[in-house]
Amino acid sequence: MDTIFLYGIALLLFILSFAADRQKTKKAFSKGLKALEGILPQFIAVVALIAIMLSLLEPQTISRFIGSDSGPLGVILAGLIGSITLIPGFVAFPLAGELLKNGAGTLQIATFVSALMMVGVITLPVEISYFGKRAAVLRNLLALAFSFAAAFFIAWAAGI
């Protein structure tokens, strides 16, 4: 229902924009299509990967490793996976939602998403080339620690 409402608002605003200035609306629509064209292959690949992963893993398996009963090891595992995973945020949030539906814990998913957004193990060599080894490693370690703190806050706030 919310989705239909949001699409309705977007359509209404598009019509209002088109009525106000056709050229600007056409230019904005063209830029939007080009942005979608750039994002779509990556988005489809990640959605397919999520579908394959969810078809291979039973909810009990997900729950065992990163479920709410997995304890500190599950939180650490989620943080490590998030640190080494390189996927964009617009894919991470649907993935997190699917993992939550399939047995993952709130704290573990919050840790995964916050580490995913803040820590960059894969991009560390590039970061080192720009900021130096000490600054890049220190930034990533502090970001990992902050991702755990943020996850605990999110899990606490979600439990209220």
Side-chain angles (χ1 to χ4, degrees):
M1 188 66 180
D2 292 339
T3 304
I4 293 171
F5 178 71
L6 290 175
Y7 278 122
I9 288 175
L11 181 63
L12 177 67
L13 292 175
F14 179 79
I15 291 169
L16 288 175
S17 175
F18 192 76
D21 191 336
R22 290 180 180 211
Q23 291 303 321
K24 283 186 179 179
T25 303
K26 285 180 183 177
K27 188 176 178 181
F29 189 73
S30 176
K31 282 188 175 185
L33 282 178
K34 285 186 180 181
L36 180 65
E37 185 181 295
I39 291 171
L40 201 56
Q42 186 180 18
F43 186 74
I44 289 172
V46 173
V47 168
L49 184 67
I50 292 169
I52 292 169
M53 184 182 78
L54 291 177
S55 67
L56 295 176
L57 294 175
E58 296 287 325
Q60 296 83 9
T61 306
I62 294 171
S63 180
R64 185 174 42 159
F65 287 111
I66 57 171
S68 56
D69 294 332
S70 63
L73 286 178
V75 176
I76 292 170
L77 179 65
L80 291 176
I81 292 171
S83 297
I84 60 171
T85 306
L86 187 63
I87 56 175
F90 66 88
V91 175
F93 295 115
L95 171 64
E98 287 302 316
L99 288 172
L100 279 172
K101 286 179 192 171
N102 285 285
T106 305
L107 177 61
Q108 289 77 6
I109 292 302
T111 305
F112 169 73
V113 171
S114 58
L116 179 72
M117 294 295 141
M118 293 191 275
V119 183
V121 172
I122 301 295
T123 58
L124 190 59
V126 175
E127 198 172 337
I128 287 173
S129 70
Y130 280 98
F131 302 117
K133 186 176 184 178
R134 183 170 182 241
V137 170
L138 184 63
R139 191 208 67 78
N140 277 283
L141 288 174
L142 290 173
L144 182 62
F146 186 75
S147 70
F148 285 111
F152 278 104
F153 178 76
I154 291 168
W156 172 77
I160 293 177

